Amino acid sequence: MNEFRNSLLGNDNDKLQVVFLVQSNHFLITMSLLQHNHVAASLSSSTSAFFAQNGFDVLRTQIVSLPTKKAAVCKCVATSPAEQTAYKTKVSRNGNIAKLQAGYLFPEIGRRKAAHMLKYPDAQVISLGIGDTTEPIPDVITSAMAKRALALSTIEGYTGYGAEQGEKELRARLASTFYSNLGIEEDDIFVSDGAKSDISRLQVLFGSNVTMAVQDPSYPAYVDSSVIMGQTGQFQKDVEKFANIEYMKCTPENDFFPDLSKVSRTDIMFFCSPNNPTGSAASREQLIQLVKFAKDNGSIIIYDSAYAMYVSGDTPKSIFEIPGAKEVAIETASFSKYAGFTGVRLGWTVVPKELKYSDGFPVAKDFNRIVCTGFNGASNIAQAGGLACLSPEGLAAMHQVVGFYKENTQIIVDTFTSLGFKVYGGKDAPYVWVHFPGQSSWDVFSEILEKTHVVTTPGSGFGPAGEGFVRVSAFGHRNNVLEACRRFKELYK
């Protein structure tokens, strides 16, 4: 130690020689000057010059001269990253978030995809997992957004904050386009930055003291937001469920519609049709049962219709096609899967004025307060795109995009059917639900990724009833879908 200290203190009081001793890539240097008038230092060295390429375990020295008036003591203290961040606040973690299991499903799939690409840097990885659109937004829509964006550079065209509920013209167009003759008016519609955001806003609206039911399997945001809000108990690993959530089992055996005679009464019921992940759309008769069940129990349905434009035939596109639904239902919807707005972010939620709490207070008034408190309205540029979507040209363009993805879906359905698999969905939704009986969903996911370099989604990520299934998304360029199907045939021939 004396030798080290002597090496720091030179004979010339006007010069201080500092020796940096480095044995790891994490270090902390502290300097205490006993007396000084001025210290001027100029250190310019890149990491590659300062450290050896592969020599972090080799003792290295570098001499730096610092002008000073008096001798100083310099201490070099090696620390770990944990030691550098050892300070902790006195704020407790949200215990509800701590209940969540692992990461949210789709970021976890993204993480595994990234790891696979590192392992196989030359592989052409095809993603049919996360339901992200791939085809360009139609020009009639982007032109309208570009025009609005350019107008913001002018005095006449500039706009700041808009109405939190959305632009009046867009709300009116949504009502006339999707809810004509259903009794839904423009002031029942709240424009947002997407259905997923509104799901969380609705959870905030109802608070932590409500009970909740969800289809099993279903979009994971319903359950995870419920957990975060404190509506649930702990995760029960033996059954792969959270306590205090009513899981409404939807399987091929019950035509993917729950046996309501076995469903306990809850305050809130999340229901998605066409369903993500199974691709199944509820029939009119089934939705009549659902609305009656909600009325009999005094429950509220949150109906996710994000894929309604994929529906064909007489299958309902909106819950409000069912008589009495306005008294028991809220509907969320989105432009994401119609117009490729997954990155633009624009959706809407319908809260009918007929929907009321047990004390008679309108639910819409409270939702309006939530929106005004935590949201400044959807982007005015995105809303210009929404208006263009609802023009005659925009509607035609969206139907063309939806038709393209439905063709992809049929290609995937035909592929797995030809290979002898039981295949569900694919008719009224851009998802194909493939059964791998007796196998772990994550194991199948891993095998497909490892052997074909194609990303899918494990069914168990959507709930325990999804075990043994894999969801294959039809969102993809046509050549990629064809190539993926060729690889599936090679793997399972």
Side-chain angles (χ1 to χ4, degrees):
M1 180 61 73
N2 287 335
E3 292 178 1
F4 172 71
R5 185 176 183 277
N6 290 338
S7 71
L8 294 177
L9 302 178
N11 294 325
D12 185 352
N13 285 335
D14 290 331
K15 296 285 184 180
L16 171 63
Q17 291 187 323
V18 182
V19 181
F20 292 85
L21 303 179
V22 181
Q23 283 186 291
S24 77
N25 60 332
H26 297 292
F27 62 96
L28 176 67
I29 301 172
T30 62
M31 180 178 290
S32 300
L33 295 181
L34 300 178
Q35 292 181 358
H36 69 281
N37 293 327
H38 176 73
V39 174
S42 176
L43 301 179
S44 176
S45 178
S46 68
T47 303
S48 59
F50 191 78
F51 297 108
Q53 288 275 334
N54 298 300
F56 284 67
D57 57 336
V58 178
L59 189 64
R60 295 184 56 81
T61 66
Q62 184 155 338
I63 307 299
V64 181
S65 294
L66 302 176
T68 183
K69 294 298 183 182
K70 298 292 182 179
V73 176
C74 177
K75 298 178 181 178
C76 293
V77 183
T79 65
S80 69
E83 290 172 328
Q84 293 181 47
T85 59
Y87 175 79
K88 296 181 292 185
T89 70
K90 296 182 180 179
V91 180
S92 299
R93 184 186 182 196
N94 182 342
N96 294 316
I97 296 179
K99 295 177 187 176
L100 294 171
Q101 300 299 295
Y104 187 68
L105 174 62
F106 300 114
E108 173 62 18
I109 290 173
R111 185 192 68 78
R112 295 192 184 209
K113 174 185 174 183
H116 182 80
M117 293 174 72
L118 284 175
K119 183 178 179 181
Y120 300 101
D122 297 325
Q124 181 198 358
V125 176
I126 298 173
S127 182
L128 300 180
I130 298 172
D132 194 2
T133 51
T134 57
E135 302 311 293
I137 298 173
D139 181 70
V140 63
I141 300 169
T142 55
S143 295
M145 290 192 285
K147 183 178 179 181
R148 177 72 69 90
L150 290 172
L152 293 173
S153 296
T154 68
I155 293 294
E156 298 79 15
Y158 176 76
T159 55
Y161 293 126
E164 289 89 349
Q165 304 81 6
E167 295 178 2
K168 182 179 178 65
E169 184 182 359
L170 178 56
R171 297 169 80 192
R173 194 80 63 84
L174 286 165
S176 63
T177 302
F178 295 112
Y179 307 101
S180 178
N181 302 319
L182 298 181
I184 298 298
E185 301 174 351
E186 65 181 70
D187 58 354
D188 295 321
I189 297 174
F190 296 80
V191 178
S192 72
D193 53 345
K196 186 175 184 179
S197 299
D198 276 345
I199 288 166
S200 292
R201 291 187 186 106
L202 289 166
Q203 293 284 26
V204 172
L205 170 71
F206 293 116
S208 59
N209 293 325
V210 296
T211 53
M212 198 267 278
V214 65
Q215 288 164 288
D216 176 24
S218 67
Y219 185 47
Y222 311 143
V223 169
D224 284 9
S225 59
S226 180
V227 173
I228 291 170
M229 277 303 300
Q231 298 168 0
T232 75
Q234 296 293 333
F235 185 72
Q236 302 169 315
K237 291 187 176 181
D238 56 333
V239 291
E240 297 291 314
K241 298 178 181 180
F242 283 95
N244 301 336
I245 288 183
E246 180 72 15
Y247 288 80
M248 302 184 294
K249 194 170 184 179
C250 297
T251 63
E253 289 71 30
N254 60 15
D255 194 25
F256 296 102
F257 186 80
D259 181 351
L260 296 176
S261 67
K262 298 180 181 178
V263 173
S264 299
R265 187 263 170 199
T266 60
D267 297 313
I268 309 299
M269 303 173 67
F270 276 94
F271 196 91
C272 179
S273 180
N275 179 265
N276 177 13
T278 67
S280 176
S283 69
R284 190 171 301 276
E285 293 71 24
Q286 289 172 334
L287 291 181
I288 289 172
Q289 292 178 44
L290 184 68
V291 169
K292 183 180 185 302
F293 181 81
K295 275 200 164 185
D296 290 345
N297 287 284
S299 305
I300 293 176
I301 302 165
I302 298 177
Y303 189 83
D304 186 343
S305 64
Y307 305 96
M309 195 172 275
Y310 288 80
V311 169
S312 57
D314 186 53
T315 302
K317 296 178 175 63
S318 168
I319 189 66
F320 300 119
E321 294 182 36
I322 308 304
K326 291 196 296 293
E327 298 171 353
V328 294
I330 292 170
E331 182 167 299
T332 63
S334 169
F335 286 105
S336 286
K337 307 304 168 61
Y338 305 163
F341 270 31
T342 50
V344 174
R345 309 306 305 150
L346 191 69
W348 67 94
T349 289
V350 183
V351 189
K353 57 182 66 67
E354 293 88 345
L355 180 65
K356 297 178 181 179
Y357 291 111
S358 58
D359 63 358
F361 192 83
V363 174
K365 287 190 175 182
D366 275 359
F367 189 65
N368 185 66
R369 181 58 186 268
I370 294 292
V371 168
C372 291
T373 299
F375 184 53
N376 276 329
S379 157
N380 45 25
I381 298 172
Q383 290 189 76
L387 278 168
C389 286
L390 302 178
S391 69
E393 299 82 5
L395 284 167
M398 287 197 298
H399 279 293
Q400 190 171 11
V401 170
V402 168
F404 173 85
Y405 289 128
K406 291 187 76 169
E407 289 174 1
N408 279 355
T409 309
Q410 192 60 52
I411 292 169
I412 297 168
V413 168
D414 291 345
T415 296
F416 279 102
T417 301
S418 70
L419 293 169
F421 288 93
K422 288 282 188 180
V423 181
Y424 305 93
K427 179 177 180 291
D428 294 314
Y431 300 121
V432 180
W433 194 236
V434 186
H435 196 199
F436 291 80
Q439 298 186 60
S440 158
S441 294
W442 278 107
D443 287 349
V444 175
F445 165 88
S446 297
E447 179 185 49
I448 292 174
L449 181 59
E450 182 71 20
K451 295 182 179 179
T452 71
H453 307 301
V454 177
V455 180
T456 57
T457 307
S460 59
F462 299 96
E467 184 60 278
F469 291 85
V470 164
R471 191 194 77 174
V472 184
S473 167
F475 294 118
H477 301 308
R478 180 61 51 80
N479 287 341
N480 284 347
V481 170
L482 291 170
E483 173 60 19
C485 288
R486 185 193 67 77
R487 297 179 192 179
F488 292 148
K489 290 178 179 178
E490 282 293 312
L491 177 62
Y492 293 115
K493 62 183 177 182

